[in-house]
Amino acid sequence: MSDFPFLSVLTVAPLVGALVVALLPRHRPELAKQVALGWSLLVLALSVVMWVTWQTGGERFQFRESYPWIPNWGVNFTFAADGIALVMLMLIAVLVPLVILASWHDADGGSGAPTATDRGAGADRQDGPARAGIPATSKRSVPMYFALLLVLECTMIGVFAAADVFLFYVFFEVMLVPMYFLIGSYGGHQRQYAAVKFFLYSLVGGLFMLAAVIGLWVVGGKTFDWVALSQVDISTGTERWLFLGFFLAFAIKAPFFPFHTWLPDAGGAAPAGAAALLVGVLDKVGTFGILRYCLPLFPDAAKWFAPWALALGLIGIIYAALLAVGQNDLKRLVSYTSIAHFGFIGVGIFAFTSQAATGAVLYMVNHGLATGLLFLVVGMLIARRGSALISDFGGAGKLVPVLAGVLFFAGLASLALPGTAPFISEFLVLIGTFTVNKPVAVIATLGIILAAAYVLWMVQRTTQGTLNPALTEVDGMKRDLNLREKVVVAPLIALIVLLGFYPKPVTDVINPAVQATMQDIGRTDPAPSVGNVQEAAK
């Protein structure tokens, strides 16, 4: 195994890049974009090297580094990655450059670049900024926007790479800051309300986790090292309270029902690129935290709370899907679909089988790709039309056929069509759950039917049917995908198709970590029944 400090370098590199971009003059916006893109590609290249260096079948945690931080409290800068963390780090490395490229003009209002109105958003509309999903005040710093994206990348990498509980908590909280400013300063209608709601919900969850982190430090022998804490024997009552503190923070972050209400507002107000990272990566910190901290550190409490967690997951699947059907705002609709998808991930985690858990982790990756693509494509549509309202579209495919086709593909991937990556993960979750809890799997399957309803209805109302005459008067709707936008969507489409037919390179990395987690909680996969074995023998 390489001794190169991959994880610390990957964490620090975007932060250095953010500082460089932020110091660039505001009158050189193109330079800021180019530097940010180049820096993110450097992180991607280093991540690919780390992926190649990873030893499948090797130690559970690899690339371990540890540097003293606060010795008196037992706090260290400890980084390590298991297979679950590794696939999430690769997801970040892939998404950030594409988001930067997709966001090329998102902050250009203050730099003399075309605004949404200039692109044909409809200057005669009194509610233009609200419909366009852009700030009413356009004097924003372009370098700062891209610097915030790099700071966000730094914190996202740090939170998945941390192997010290206190360090994880620090990244968990600091991660809120760049996203808060991305939403509040560069978002669309009601951006300040959405940013504050996002921040307060996450902060409250963080306070629950802080109390649990302190309690874990006390009962765990005054250490924050994950490996040491995983060996600690905790009394039943204390373990349940500590589990609850961590779980509440992660359930809000994911989000699970009923802690979900901040996501439609934040996803609807955020710039499309920031929303793709919010739903594609940031929210996965919640489900990752459950797998990394709640299950291994508090195994008995996890089993005790599992029925409640499964119930929350099922409610989230059905409830969010029904709400998605009734949405008239494209970005809010995509946000609600993500809440339903997180219900599937929650079911996969708390089914406690290796198949379901592998499906849940694979779902985290595939959802990031599919929903990231869907958010970016929706952002491209909104930028052209100057409105996020579905009712302002209709027949758009006749004007922008390639963009409409990509939207259709992203929608099909989101509803887990066979041949796309999300189908594999959803199938694993359902079949792994069915072996131990048939009613839960059957109810969760209803979410597939509802997914087809809200996705196909969205596509039909926006790009199919009779052409809305108002679209022909919008200059932006006369432009199909340009080269930059094709470069953004092509890698995501390729990955979604590739992993839909051949997920083995990812599942080979995930499986050992999932099996180790199942061992941590003392669960094994159910053996085939005698009747099934005899039937198979025939």
Side-chain angles (χ1 to χ4, degrees):
M1 183 182 300
S2 172
D3 293 329
F4 184 81
F6 283 106
L7 298 177
S8 59
V9 172
L10 283 173
T11 303
V12 173
L15 188 61
V16 175
L19 182 61
V20 172
V21 173
L23 293 177
L24 293 173
R26 293 183 59 168
H27 65 272
R28 300 287 303 277
E30 292 301 316
L31 178 61
K33 299 171 187 179
Q34 293 163 5
V35 172
L37 178 60
W39 219 283
S40 65
L41 289 174
L42 179 64
V43 173
L44 173 59
L46 186 59
S47 300
V48 171
V49 174
M50 181 177 67
W51 178 275
V52 173
T53 308
W54 175 268
Q55 293 183 349
T56 303
E59 297 179 3
R60 177 179 183 178
F61 290 97
Q62 300 180 31
F63 310 121
R64 184 177 176 86
E65 310 169 44
S66 188
Y67 312 98
W69 185 11
I70 312 175
N72 292 338
W73 293 1
V75 179
N76 298 293
F77 278 104
T78 302
F79 297 102
D82 62 358
I84 301 172
L86 183 66
V87 295
M88 294 308 301
L89 292 172
M90 280 303 304
L91 177 64
I92 295 168
V94 169
L95 281 182
V96 171
L98 299 178
V99 165
I100 290 175
L101 200 56
S103 307
W104 209 251
H105 298 299
D106 282 5
D108 278 354
S111 303
T115 63
T117 301
D118 296 329
R119 299 186 191 113
D124 57 324
R125 297 184 180 221
Q126 194 173 9
D127 57 347
R131 286 177 173 265
I134 61 170
T137 302
S138 60
K139 295 191 179 298
R140 303 296 180 189
S141 169
V142 174
M144 187 55 65
Y145 177 81
F146 290 95
L148 286 170
L149 287 177
L150 290 176
V151 172
L152 184 61
E153 182 177 28
C154 161
T155 57
M156 291 188 300
I157 292 173
V159 79
F160 288 109
D164 179 280
V165 177
F166 187 81
L167 182 63
F168 172 85
Y169 172 76
V170 170
F171 279 115
F172 184 87
E173 294 289 11
V174 173
M175 187 170 55
L176 305 179
V177 177
M179 183 55 73
Y180 170 81
F181 285 108
L182 284 168
I183 298 173
S185 295
Y186 298 91
H189 185 50
Q190 292 189 328
R191 62 188 183 278
Q192 294 176 349
Y193 166 79
V196 171
K197 188 174 183 179
F198 159 75
F199 193 86
L200 289 179
Y201 265 70
S202 300
L203 187 62
V204 169
L207 292 176
F208 282 112
M209 187 165 71
L210 177 60
V213 166
I214 295 173
L216 184 61
W217 180 75
V218 172
V219 302
K222 297 184 177 181
T223 180
F224 289 108
D225 183 73
W226 186 93
V227 175
L229 290 172
S230 64
Q231 308 300 321
V232 174
D233 186 20
I234 306 174
S235 64
T236 300
T238 301
E239 182 178 340
R240 290 179 181 177
W241 281 110
L242 294 178
F243 173 92
L244 191 61
F246 277 91
F247 179 78
L248 285 174
F250 297 143
I252 293 172
K253 178 68 72 178
F256 291 147
F257 175 90
F259 312 107
H260 65 282
T261 59
W262 63 268
L263 181 57
D265 292 317
L277 291 177
L278 173 66
V279 176
V281 180
L282 258 73
D283 291 353
K284 305 302 192 312
V285 174
T287 49
F288 171 81
I290 293 172
L291 287 163
R292 171 65 69 85
Y293 296 96
C294 288
L295 269 57
L297 299 184
F298 318 112
D300 294 331
K303 288 180 280 190
W304 192 81
F305 278 103
W308 299 98
L310 288 170
L312 294 182
L314 288 177
I315 295 173
I317 291 171
I318 306 301
Y319 178 72
L322 291 174
L323 289 177
V325 171
Q327 293 303 306
N328 190 39
D329 184 292
L330 281 168
K331 291 201 288 185
R332 289 180 66 88
L333 187 152
V334 178
S335 298
Y336 275 115
T337 68
S338 295
I339 297 170
H341 294 151
F342 276 103
F344 276 105
I345 296 174
V347 168
I349 292 173
F350 285 98
F352 296 143
T353 67
S354 59
Q355 273 185 327
T358 297
V361 177
L362 191 60
Y363 213 137
M364 289 162 62
V365 178
N366 294 337
H367 174 265
L369 297 173
T371 305
L373 175 63
L374 189 56
F375 252 120
L376 294 178
V377 174
V378 162
M380 295 171 189
L381 269 176
I382 294 171
R384 284 166 166 77
R385 179 64 178 96
S387 173
L389 300 182
I390 296 175
S391 56
D392 284 341
F393 288 88
K398 295 178 174 62
L399 300 177
V400 284
V402 178
L403 179 56
V406 177
L407 176 69
F408 184 50
F409 174 83
L412 293 178
S414 180
L415 64 82
L417 184 77
T420 63
F423 170 76
I424 303 296
S425 43
E426 199 165 276
F427 179 77
L428 287 173
V429 166
L430 291 174
I431 196 172
T433 304
F434 190 82
T435 59
V436 293
N437 198 326
K438 292 179 177 62
V440 169
V442 170
I443 296 172
T445 305
L446 296 176
I448 301 175
I449 301 172
L450 292 172
Y454 59 67
V455 167
L456 295 179
W457 195 23
M458 174 195 69
V459 172
Q460 192 276 332
R461 289 186 293 168
T462 53
T463 63
Q464 304 301 312
T466 304
L467 175 64
N468 182 353
L471 294 182
T472 60
E473 301 174 5
V474 180
D475 292 340
M477 293 304 298
K478 299 174 183 177
R479 295 179 291 104
D480 212 333
L481 289 183
N482 58 36
L483 179 60
R484 173 180 59 82
E485 291 167 329
K486 290 176 181 177
V487 171
V488 170
V489 302
L492 294 175
I493 293 173
L495 286 171
I496 290 170
V497 173
L498 175 63
L499 295 179
F501 285 94
Y502 189 64
K504 189 174 184 297
V506 178
T507 55
D508 283 349
V509 172
I510 293 172
N511 279 331
V514 166
Q515 291 168 2
T517 303
M518 293 299 102
Q519 291 175 3
D520 289 336
I521 60 176
R523 287 297 180 95
T524 57
D525 292 337
S529 65
V530 175
N532 289 341
V533 172
Q534 292 175 345
E535 185 67 25
K538 295 179 182 179

